[in-house]
Amino acid sequence: MSFLEVSNITKSFGDTEVLKGISFTMERGQVLAIIGSSGSGKTTLLRCLNFLETADGGTIRLGGDTLFDAQNDRRISDSELRARRLRFGLVFQSFNLFPQYSVLRNVTLAKELLLRDEGHLSRAERRRRLDEIDEQARALLKRVGLEAKYANYPCELSGGQQQRVAIARALALNPDILCFDEPTSALDPELTIEVLKVIRGLISSDRTMIVVTHEMNFASSVADHVIFMADGVIEEEGTPEQVFGSPRSPKTRAFLQRPDN
Amino acid sequence: MSFLQVTLALLDGFKTTFILFAVTLLAAVPLGLLVCLGSKSRIPIVRIITRAFIWVIRGTPLMLQVLVVFYVPGLIFKMPFQSRMAAVIIAFIINYACYFSEIYRGGIESIPKGQYEAGQVLGMTKTQIFFRVVLMQVIKRILPPMSNEIITLVKDTSLARIISVGEVIRSAQDIVSGYALIWPLFYTGVFYLLFNGGLTLLLGWCEKKLSYYNG
Ligand SMILES: Nc1ncnc2c1ncn2[C@@H]1O[C@H](COP(=O)(O)OP(=O)(O)O)[C@@H](O)[C@H]1O
Ligand SMILES: [Mg+2]
């Protein structure tokens, strides 16, 4: 049994079938790159994994737990839904930082709010935990190269710096799987490089990541496995060598030969 | 009539002006939120009725609304208002709650979807997302249009005299007709200018407080 097992996910918006049965598996510590032309359903897939959309069909299993099963669609409680969402993290194309909070607060906020779910803590215990959250956030920001920006506001940062804050913010909750939806598509080339460097630096044996990207060099150098999506299906998948080196599907070949890749 | 006597008479009228202003503001700000929720309700009938109501209130003169609120209970239901001021206050609160609700709605709808989604993927509850993520951004965005409405409210209070509530302009007019003095009218303008000037400073200070970030 694999760490993540996604099987037969389908999703339609009205009459348009956007995901037509997506299945794949991942092992812990792996990096999966998802490529494909725009409109092929990559974002929708990540949104289904993060429960921003509810898939119409299929199942999602993570670490042996069934997180989603369309067959068994009893309505789940809000707190259960939140618990499932926390198993995945998502870094958006457009960062979506909270503009009214400092960089540090962007990273600590969600974790502080989660502390409340733990019921009543003694004042000293609460203080200790808040200090811990603060310290962890500072360490994460340092890790993404922003130790000089704790007190700044998102509007004072470059796009690349904002995206690095967003990465630290997602890491703070320590998700089992961290998803990136075209994390550099909104960035200039120089800024793209710094963000990709940070993502590359996150790879470790216990960090599992799914990266939707148009950066083919990046995908082929960091990914253990590559999925090429076209029109809501997995058109081709394999190791980077297979998919980039000797693509079998004509659609993959056509996609990879496009000059903008 | 001496300057001091005029001042005292006008101050007395201005007390009514101020009470009408303050009570309307304090009640319409939260009531507007309720109306806003109604106009965004997922239940179609609630939404349609609320929006129709807003349309009527915004599409007819406040003066007419004051008259309707004052005369309808007495003439149709045989329960006349005991207090003219109460009628004016009710009409004002309803009117301003509807205006505020539309400002709130615009503010809430201007917050990008990504802000809610970022909160969701970070495991926040709906309430946390509203109060911790969205609210402050909404307040920042609606402050300028709210300031405009609040200044307008100060001036609208003069409509109260249509049902003989003695606000400041009525006090002035009594002096003008009773003592054949014209300057108290201009002096009344000074009351409005000073009060609105203070409000403008206060609201400007609030906007400045929130200008530490963009977006
Ligand atoms: N909320 C939605 N409502 C309707 N159609 C949508 C919605 N979200 C995505 N789509 C459609 O689904 C298709 C796939 O979109 P998306 O998953 O964003 O693709 P990608 O990320 O690969 O570019 C597109 O045709 C898009 O127009
Ligand atoms: Mg996309």
Side-chain angles (χ1 to χ4, degrees), chain A residues 13 18 37-44:
Chain A
F13 293 109
V18 174
S37 40
S38 118
S40 56
K42 306 178 300 293
T43 297
T44 306

Side-chain angles (χ1 to χ4, degrees), chain A residues 47 50-53 78 82 85-86 88-90 92 95-101 105-106 109-111 113-114 116-117 153 155-156 169-170 173, chain B residues 112-138 140-141 210-215:
Chain A
R47 291 171 62 85
N50 281 276
F51 300 97
L52 290 177
E53 306 282 357
D78 244 24
R82 286 199 296 131
R85 274 200 181 118
L86 285 170
F88 289 89
L90 178 60
F92 299 86
F95 330 135
N96 295 341
L97 294 179
F98 305 134
Q100 74 271 40
Y101 293 128
R105 189 103 180 96
N106 262 276
L109 179 66
K111 207 136 190 225
L113 294 175
L114 281 174
R116 304 188 171 182
D117 291 354
Y153 288 90
C155 61
E156 299 164 341
R169 182 175 73 172
L173 294 168
Chain B
K113 217 169 100 231
Q115 291 290 306
Y116 294 89
E117 294 183 344
Q120 284 175 320
V121 298
L122 292 168
M124 295 183 195
T125 63
K126 287 199 182 95
T127 322
Q128 287 170 343
I129 292 173
F130 184 75
F131 285 103
R132 299 312 192 100
V133 175
V134 176
L135 184 61
M136 171 102 111
Q137 299 183 48
V138 172
K140 181 179 164 104
R141 284 174 195 219
L210 286 173
S211 69
Y212 68 90
Y213 76 90
N214 295 323

